[in-house]
Amino acid sequence: MAGKAIMVQGTMSNSGKTFVTAGLCRIFKQDGYKVAPFKSQNMALNSYITKEGLEIGRAQAMQAEAAMIEPTHHMNPILLKPTSAMGSQIIVNGEVYANMGATEYYEKKDVLVPGIKKAFGYLANNYDRIVIEGAGSPAEINLADNDIVNMGMAKMADAPVLLVADIDRGGVFASVYGTVKLLSTEEQKRIKGIIINKFRGDVEILKPGLKMLENLTGIPVVGVLPMEKIDVDDEDSLSDRLNHKTLTEGIDVAVIRLPHISNFTDFSVFELLDGVSLRYVTDKKELGHPDLILLPGSKNTMGDMEWLIESGLESAIIRESRQTRVIGICGGFQLLGKELRDPYGVEHGGSMRGLGLLDTITTFEEAKTRTRIQGKISESNNLYNLNQLEVEGYEIHMGVSENQGGCVPMITLEDGRCDALSTPDGRVWGSYLHGIFDNEELVFGLVHQIMREKGINPDDNHLSVAEYKEIQYNKLADLLRNHLDMDYINSLFDTEPAEDIPEECQNCSAVGCGGVKDSDRGLGLVHIYCGDGKGKTTAATGLAVRCAGAGNKVLMYQFIKKNDSSEVESLSLLPGVTRVPSLPMDKFTFMMSEEEKADMCKKNNEKLDELIELAKSYDMIVLDEAVYAIDLNMLDEKKVIDWLKNKPKHLEVVLTGRNPSEALCEAADYVSEIRKLKHPFDAGISSRVGIEK
């Protein structure tokens, strides 16, 4: 059986899609499912090389790590790596496809759809659950016609959608409402839940707004995630960590935030160390006098070299290098050299000078080096007294940097190549290995040496990057479990729950309970208001008002009625009440043929399935005229009774209509008959707006 999918979309970029996707991957893994992440199209300069030697977005590698599986190219079939404001390098199935401008790529997106379906199909055939991440916003209406990453992908995967909104940036209600209402009716139906992310303060103050939002959109809010510091790899340069500029006591590490910065997560490990302050620098005035300068990877090394010159950072870095250490990774390694050459026009074409801190010349080639590899620190370079230390990382570059004679080889790779080069004193060096600082002994050797030079006594504690990541993933999972309606989210997969149910939840069947047992939450009962007298709908709506007035969520639907009922119109204005529009009725029921009734029965049964699913996140559901629809053979009685016997225990159900059967009454807890003694209709007085209709 193919795995089921759920999709996480956002109202905007950096709303928390990557974060929520990773958290869901870890939760489903903890619950015993084999789960994989997926993103059909990713635009990011933060990339990763899989064991097959193929390139994907770093975020999908992180999400795979959260799911405790090995990343593969199937998880991100299309990766766009911007090379300029208008163009990107297109990576398809992990390999370079072409360099394209935005318009050219937009016109060719349809060609890539079969590859997306194939990649997703592979995951669906090998995993129980797939958590799909969208990109940007689904409400980019200018791109909707051939969308392959948001609602277009949700349709391909037939996946329900959770919409994530960032409240910290303000305007969260407008962004959610606007996003939903800019989508087509079919697309709006795919959104099954709203998640509010990055909330600060008392959630009780937020609740009235959430209820109004649910009423306006018809979509339940499935949770509010508080702002909390959890350290997982970020998607791209929108990362909040790139705004860190604060200097604290201890070692000052400055990362140069290049315009085309890539794989900045190479340096995340420094944020974990006590006594180390990591900050990102965009101006020569901010640089100051750090103890270590780090130059990150770049998707456009020559363009970033021009920026270093124009910004004045070139001269500032050269000046500081006389008394501090400078390390470059990948593009940063290339920048450290004397010259950059581009004979094939891979970047700018021509040549230009580099920082001149290493005696190297880099030549850009048409073929991309792309591999995971191991190596050892060379015996000839006793860097931090770590000669022969084994290191590991991955290469993604289109340049070759050659020693012109003044550098000392630093790392010998397992295939015999020299990866890294340093100055004779080891204070300036560069490497093509992304992830090299995940080698803990290397990081401690570097940091402890700087500490000793500053007269700081290094702590004896030892960092385990792997253990730290596990702590963060589990912390993320706990955050989502504690603040999202996981019962409801699990129900969207329409699969059996994991066998190992936590002990504290074994007596709880309520969706949205947040771990509260039914005995503590309250038991939901079934009401029937029946009879030939006036007042059945009036009684049901009065009960709905009472329920909503107590702060509960009410869902209401009317069978075999038009959408012009006054009482339902008024209920729609109440916070906490969601009205689902009725199916269109072109004629009175007594005028319908048997074929028309059978067709209406089929449609009503399908609508009931939708309502049953939606009601899982509500406290009460009112099904007006459901009993009468059953009596007219326009709704399946067995389907209704089976649901009443197996409904969520907390859910209050209200049914109205004439002539309930004995079996239906047996399934109810309240049966109230409204009997007609006298009615003005018998005297020829027609129904009046606001009274009978």
Side-chain angles (χ1 to χ4, degrees):
M1 180 179 176
K4 302 282 183 124
I6 193 170
M7 190 167 192
V8 180
Q9 297 184 18
T11 57
M12 65 184 78
S13 295
N14 207 33
S15 62
K17 299 183 294 291
T18 303
F19 181 83
V20 171
T21 299
L24 291 176
C25 283
R26 176 49 62 103
I27 286 174
F28 297 146
K29 174 62 179 177
Q30 291 173 340
D31 289 349
Y33 294 98
K34 190 178 180 184
V35 58
F38 181 81
K39 187 166 186 173
S40 58
Q41 173 193 289
N42 196 349
M43 177 176 281
L45 290 174
N46 233 12
S47 60
Y48 177 89
I49 298 299
T50 68
K51 280 191 173 179
E52 315 114 304
L54 300 174
E55 190 173 3
I56 64 173
R58 177 78 186 185
Q60 280 61 66
M62 177 272 290
Q63 291 160 353
E65 194 171 61
M68 303 178 78
I69 58 174
E70 186 66 36
T72 75
H73 69 280
H74 304 97
M75 298 169 186
N76 180 208
I78 302 174
L79 174 62
L80 310 181
K81 302 187 75 173
T83 55
S84 66
M86 295 296 292
S88 295
Q89 183 183 72
I90 316 299
I91 311 292
V92 177
N93 292 322
E95 301 191 61
V96 177
Y97 178 74
N99 287 325
M100 293 185 188
T103 301
E104 183 184 4
Y105 174 72
Y106 182 77
E107 291 172 349
K108 292 189 175 182
K109 283 168 69 175
D110 288 345
V111 178
L112 303 174
V113 170
I116 292 173
K117 290 182 176 179
K118 184 177 179 180
F120 179 79
Y122 172 86
L123 296 179
N125 288 329
N126 287 277
Y127 292 89
D128 304 321
R129 292 184 170 185
I130 303 98
V131 186
I132 307 171
E133 181 185 349
S137 166
E140 304 292 349
I141 54 179
N142 57 313
L143 304 176
D145 287 345
N146 60 350
D147 171 59
I148 59 175
V149 68
N150 286 309
M151 284 301 174
M153 185 63 233
K155 185 176 182 179
M156 280 187 254
D158 193 22
V161 174
L162 299 174
L163 184 66
V164 181
D166 179 358
I167 195 171
D168 193 49
R169 290 197 245 177
V172 70
F173 297 117
S175 67
V176 172
Y177 182 80
T179 298
V180 171
K181 294 304 177 181
L182 283 172
L183 301 175
S184 69
T185 302
E186 180 184 353
E187 290 170 340
Q188 290 182 39
K189 289 179 181 178
R190 284 204 178 273
I191 303 178
K192 301 299 184 183
I194 298 164
I195 297 172
I196 306 299
N197 192 27
K198 303 179 187 176
F199 179 69
R200 307 171 192 260
D202 185 353
V203 74
E204 291 298 321
I205 299 174
L206 190 64
K207 283 184 177 179
L210 299 181
K211 289 186 178 181
M212 293 177 68
L213 185 63
E214 290 177 332
N215 294 337
L216 289 167
T217 62
I219 302 168
V221 175
V222 298
V224 177
L225 297 176
M227 181 73 79
E228 188 166 330
K229 174 63 176 175
I230 296 178
D231 188 14
V232 296
D233 283 351
D234 297 287
E235 174 82 272
D236 51 33
S237 58
L238 285 172
S239 168
D240 291 337
R241 67 179 0 123
L242 294 185
N243 296 318
H244 291 179
K245 298 180 183 296
T246 305
L247 175 61
T248 58
E249 293 184 0
I251 294 178
D252 176 20
V253 180
V255 181
I256 306 301
R257 183 176 176 177
L258 302 170
H260 301 94
I261 187 172
S262 68
N263 289 74
F264 58 85
T265 50
D266 283 337
F267 307 131
S268 299
V269 64
F270 290 96
E271 296 181 272
L272 314 183
L273 302 175
D274 291 336
V276 176
S277 171
L278 185 75
R279 57 193 177 93
Y280 289 81
V281 173
T282 57
D283 186 272
K284 65 179 182 179
K285 295 177 182 178
E286 297 172 352
L287 183 60
H289 306 289
D291 302 299
L292 174 63
I293 296 174
L294 297 174
L295 287 164
S298 169
K299 193 62 192 71
N300 191 327
T301 307
M302 297 179 82
D304 285 345
M305 187 64 225
E306 288 181 340
W307 176 78
L308 287 173
I309 295 169
E310 292 169 359
S311 67
L313 273 167
E314 176 205 30
S315 58
I317 293 169
I318 293 172
R319 182 178 63 251
E320 290 302 313
S321 69
R322 296 167 190 156
Q323 61 265 350
T324 193
R325 286 174 169 75
V326 183
I327 299 173
I329 302 298
C330 198
F333 178 21
Q334 296 168 347
L335 289 169
L336 290 173
K338 288 183 175 179
E339 189 176 356
L340 303 169
R341 297 175 180 175
D342 187 14
Y344 304 104
V346 173
E347 291 197 350
H348 277 201
S351 62
M352 66 171 55
R353 74 175 189 266
L355 289 167
L357 300 179
L358 286 178
D359 190 17
T360 61
I361 293 177
T362 295
T363 302
F364 294 100
E365 300 181 343
E366 294 179 290
K368 177 182 265 192
T369 300
R370 191 185 62 230
T371 184
R372 292 196 68 86
I373 200 162
Q374 293 179 326
K376 291 183 178 181
I377 294 181
S378 305
E379 291 185 18
S380 58
N381 192 323
N382 192 19
L383 187 70
Y384 319 129
N385 298 313
L386 297 174
N387 58 308
Q388 294 300 296
L389 173 70
E390 292 188 358
V391 294
E392 182 180 3
Y394 53 95
E395 296 178 86
I396 320 170
H397 57 94
M398 300 184 76
V400 176
S401 299
E402 296 181 322
N403 186 357
Q404 302 302 298
C407 293
V408 178
M410 178 178 160
I411 295 175
T412 302
L413 299 175
E414 57 187 343
D415 60 7
R417 289 181 295 130
C418 173
D419 166 70
L421 298 169
S422 74
T423 54
D425 62 5
R427 297 182 68 82
V428 177
W429 58 270
S431 168
Y432 275 114
L433 287 185
H434 293 290
I436 190 172
F437 290 122
D438 289 345
N439 297 276
E440 297 156 20
E441 289 185 62
L442 176 61
V443 173
F444 273 104
L446 169 62
V447 169
H448 287 180
Q449 190 172 79
I450 297 175
M451 284 182 170
R452 284 190 287 268
E453 290 176 2
K454 292 192 69 174
I456 301 172
N457 185 31
D459 292 333
D460 292 330
N461 62 322
H462 291 283
L463 168 73
S464 169
V465 175
E467 290 178 1
Y468 178 82
K469 286 183 176 181
E470 280 299 295
I471 291 170
Q472 297 305 306
Y473 290 136
N474 290 331
K475 185 178 177 183
L476 175 57
D478 289 343
L479 179 73
L480 267 60
R481 280 192 192 275
N482 292 334
H483 297 280
L484 296 186
D485 188 340
M486 287 307 304
D487 284 338
Y488 174 71
I489 290 172
N490 274 307
S491 75
L492 297 178
F493 286 96
D494 193 28
T495 57
E496 293 297 322
E499 293 182 6
D500 296 325
I501 301 174
E503 183 178 351
E504 63 272 18
C505 293
Q506 288 178 353
N507 297 318
C508 178
S509 64
V511 175
C513 68
V516 181
K517 297 180 181 180
D518 288 321
S519 57
D520 296 330
R521 181 184 178 120
L523 185 64
L525 302 178
V526 178
H527 307 239
I528 292 179
Y529 293 99
C530 58
D532 61 358
K534 177 190 180 315
K536 297 181 291 294
T537 299
T538 304
T541 53
L543 190 59
V545 170
R546 174 179 285 178
C547 187
N552 296 312
K553 294 166 59 179
V554 179
L555 182 68
M556 184 161 190
Y557 182 79
Q558 292 185 301
F559 288 94
I560 59 174
K561 278 187 177 180
K562 294 183 179 181
N563 290 294
D564 58 358
S565 174
S566 299
E567 68 269 13
V568 176
E569 285 294 332
S570 64
L571 280 179
S572 298
L573 302 176
L574 292 178
V577 179
T578 299
R579 171 197 173 190
V580 178
S582 303
L583 292 171
M585 293 283 292
D586 299 326
K587 59 178 71 173
F588 293 110
T589 56
F590 65 84
M591 298 174 62
M592 290 183 176
S593 66
E594 291 304 314
E595 291 79 9
E596 288 173 325
K597 287 184 178 181
D599 181 62
M600 181 56 70
C601 182
K602 179 183 176 183
K603 291 179 180 178
N604 281 337
N605 288 336
E606 291 173 350
K607 177 59 69 174
L608 180 62
D609 287 335
E610 293 179 19
L611 294 166
I612 288 171
E613 191 66 34
L614 189 58
K616 291 176 180 178
S617 63
Y618 285 80
D619 301 292
M620 173 184 283
I621 181 170
V622 178
L623 298 177
D624 190 33
E625 297 294 0
V627 177
Y628 194 34
I630 291 172
D631 184 53
L632 294 171
N633 294 319
M634 296 173 68
L635 183 64
D636 187 345
E637 181 178 67
K638 184 177 184 302
K639 176 187 282 287
V640 173
I641 292 175
D642 287 346
W643 168 60
L644 292 177
K645 290 179 179 178
N646 297 286
K647 71 174 182 65
K649 291 183 180 179
H650 76 281
L651 183 66
E652 200 85 8
V653 179
V654 183
L655 310 173
T656 74
R658 299 186 180 198
N659 306 323
S661 68
E662 184 177 337
L664 192 60
C665 289
E666 182 66 27
D669 300 289
Y670 299 85
V671 179
S672 300
E673 182 180 9
I674 298 177
R675 185 162 59 92
K676 184 187 79 169
L677 297 179
K678 190 175 184 180
H679 198 293
F681 185 75
D682 297 330
I685 300 174
S686 61
S687 59
R688 296 160 296 154
V689 174
I691 305 299
E692 284 88 15
K693 65 179 181 178

